[in-house]
Amino acid sequence: MFHKGVMGLAWMAKNQRSIGAVPEEEYEVPIGKAKVVREGTDVSIVTLSLSVHHSLDVAEKLAGEGISVEALDLRSLVPLDREAVIATAAKTGKVIVVDEGYQSFGLSGEIAATITEHDPALLKHFSRVCVPDVPIPYAHELEYAVLPTAARIEAAVRTAVAA
């Protein structure tokens, strides 16, 4: 599967990370094994798919200001690499889940539950950059208003670091 943001739809903004070259040799992405795609110490972003690329863009931008963002690419949801989620939460204490799913009843709540069921003291801050509980708008501008954009991710990171 791949994200519709890389399908070539003319009206969709492209993230250059998501349309770059891929290795020519064979390789495997292990299912159920998340990957820390950027090490950091101040705040952790837990995400997947196209939002990984947006999160890395934000992390690079904020690194210039001395904000260290860790990015965890879940890569699969079932099975979910709960150990990696707990490890990044333990490392930074501040977790932001970025997900194109709805805020209610989805991945972000499962990530929060995973951490707090393990040890609620791990979290000093938790927030979600998700789609609000509204239907996805048809108009392109309105769709981007509800999706987790780099601007929304950056704002969440700044709030987490200030907490």
Side-chain angles (χ1 to χ4, degrees), residues 51-75:
S51 294
V52 172
H53 304 298
H54 296 320
S55 297
L56 288 171
D57 291 343
V58 169
E60 283 183 5
K61 176 182 178 184
L62 295 179
E65 299 177 29
I67 299 172
S68 178
V69 176
E70 178 150 303
L72 179 68
D73 180 357
L74 293 171
R75 302 197 298 192

Side-chain angles (χ1 to χ4, degrees), residues 28-49:
E28 293 180 5
V29 175
I31 302 299
K33 183 70 178 149
K35 180 179 181 182
V36 174
V37 291
R38 183 181 177 96
E39 296 281 343
T41 56
D42 294 328
V43 61
S44 299
I45 296 176
V46 177
T47 190
L48 70 158
S49 191

Side-chain angles (χ1 to χ4, degrees), residues 82-83 85-87 89-90 111-122:
R82 295 176 192 277
E83 292 79 21
V85 170
I86 291 166
I111 297 300
T114 294
I115 298 166
T116 57
E117 287 172 352
H118 176 76
D119 182 359
L122 290 180

Side-chain angles (χ1 to χ4, degrees), residues 77-161:
L77 299 181
V78 179
L80 177 62
D81 188 349
R82 295 176 192 277
E83 292 79 21
V85 170
I86 291 166
T88 195
K91 182 177 181 180
T92 68
K94 298 179 179 187
V95 174
I96 301 165
V97 178
V98 179
D99 180 32
E100 286 194 25
Y102 288 107
Q103 183 164 328
S104 296
F105 313 108
L107 174 65
S108 61
E110 189 62 29
I111 297 300
T114 294
I115 298 166
T116 57
E117 287 172 352
H118 176 76
D119 182 359
L122 290 180
L123 287 177
K124 298 177 204 134
H125 175 88
F126 181 86
S127 63
R128 304 182 275 187
V129 180
C130 302
V131 173
D133 296 328
V134 299
I136 298 294
Y138 181 75
H140 305 315
E141 295 82 14
L142 294 177
E143 182 177 6
Y144 280 114
V146 301
L147 292 176
T149 60
R152 289 182 59 207
I153 298 167
E154 180 180 342
V157 171
R158 290 184 184 282
T159 298
V161 170

